[in-house]
Amino acid sequence: MTVRTVVGRGVRLGALIGMWPAGIVGTLCLVAAFVFLAGGHGTSAWLLTVASAYAVLAAMTVGITLGAATGLALALAPRRLLARPPLRGLLAALTAGLPVAALSVAALTGDGYTLASYPPSIHFLTWSATLTIALVAAARSGDIAGCGADL
């Protein structure tokens, strides 16, 4: 199996990972834009439409980048590691989950804010999304690496 094939499978997974937040955030922004447009606030509606486009683009970019990184990590991993599903899944989960966690912390801790500045609901959403991405990458690591069996 070539590196290009494995990375391509990772990119497909990344596109699927990116579609969920892109669809949810994009839809919410467009619904809010429609509400503002119906209320006579055309400028706010336009800004929300632009925000929707940026959110979709960012989510898809992050998803595809994570998928490519996961595919590359699995393509370069030794065969004896790939033969063990728990180790293969751990490698995929760390490759996909750690950048998301770092990006979340970087986004939340700016301008004098700390993680303690946010309510528990923000922490729940942030860390459950990170965990979901890591678990999906771990579960699909066998398909990406071409090992046949998943976790």
Side-chain angles (χ1 to χ4, degrees):
M1 180 120 3
T2 65
V3 172
R4 185 180 184 124
T5 304
V6 176
V7 172
R9 289 177 180 173
V11 168
R12 271 195 307 251
L13 173 72
L16 290 173
I17 289 174
M19 277 194 296
W20 283 99
I24 292 169
V25 173
T27 302
L28 288 176
C29 284
L30 289 177
V31 167
F34 179 73
V35 169
F36 275 97
L37 188 61
H41 302 286
T43 305
S44 298
W46 174 250
L47 291 175
L48 279 168
T49 304
V50 171
S52 171
Y54 280 133
V56 168
L57 182 65
M60 290 303 294
T61 302
V62 168
I64 289 172
T65 303
L66 286 175
T70 303
L72 185 62
L74 290 171
L76 298 177
R79 280 284 147 200
R80 66 181 183 274
L81 184 132
L82 294 178
R84 295 185 174 95
L87 293 178
R88 182 183 65 230
L90 181 63
L91 175 65
L94 289 176
T95 304
L98 284 179
V100 174
L103 186 62
S104 299
V105 169
L108 291 175
T109 57
D111 295 333
Y113 290 100
T114 64
L115 290 177
S117 304
Y118 295 95
S121 60
I122 296 296
H123 291 287
F124 176 76
L125 289 174
T126 300
W127 301 118
S128 63
T130 302
L131 183 61
T132 301
I133 290 169
L135 290 175
V136 167
R140 305 307 294 170
S141 64
D143 287 341
I144 295 171
C147 295
D150 287 335
L151 283 173

